[in-house]
Amino acid sequence: MYEIVFKRKVRSAVARLPENAHERVSCAIDSLAENPRPTGCRRLRDREDWRIRVGNYRVIYGIDDDRQIVEILKVAHRRDIYR
């Protein structure tokens, strides 16, 4: 099992999501503890980070396999995530 760690601003960003998106995104983030590289995840270009899609939202995260930590770096709508 990996430990899920949030950057400070990410936790509040998840809390501000619409209710239906909040549930789906929270569930997807929780599942990263068991499998940090689920089907459909992608490694970002020019970065060591990963991305999963949850409907119209994206979760950007980093994986530290040595310490078994998944750090959630950013959660946002797909039109805003890469800005």
Side-chain angles (χ1 to χ4, degrees):
M1 289 287 286
Y2 283 72
E3 179 184 355
I4 304 292
V5 177
F6 290 86
K7 285 191 101 173
R8 188 178 308 161
K9 293 182 180 182
V10 174
R11 196 174 293 275
S12 62
V14 172
R16 286 191 309 260
L17 294 176
E19 187 176 332
N20 60 345
H22 181 288
E23 276 186 42
R24 293 178 64 205
V25 168
S26 295
C27 211
I29 289 172
D30 290 342
S31 71
L32 292 174
E34 292 180 24
N35 182 9
R37 294 176 184 89
T39 303
C41 73
R42 287 230 163 137
R43 189 171 202 149
L44 298 178
R45 292 184 195 167
D46 303 326
R47 292 171 62 176
E48 296 293 318
D49 301 326
W50 295 78
R51 178 226 8 143
I52 57 171
R53 298 183 334 177
V54 183
N56 286 330
Y57 291 87
R58 304 295 183 260
V59 178
I60 306 293
Y61 61 98
I63 303 171
D64 185 346
D65 287 315
D66 296 333
R67 296 181 356 201
Q68 292 206 331
I69 292 176
V70 173
E71 182 178 17
I72 309 301
L73 304 172
K74 193 169 183 183
V75 175
H77 194 276
R78 65 188 180 99
R79 70 176 170 252
D80 302 323
I81 193 76
Y82 303 109
R83 292 182 186 179

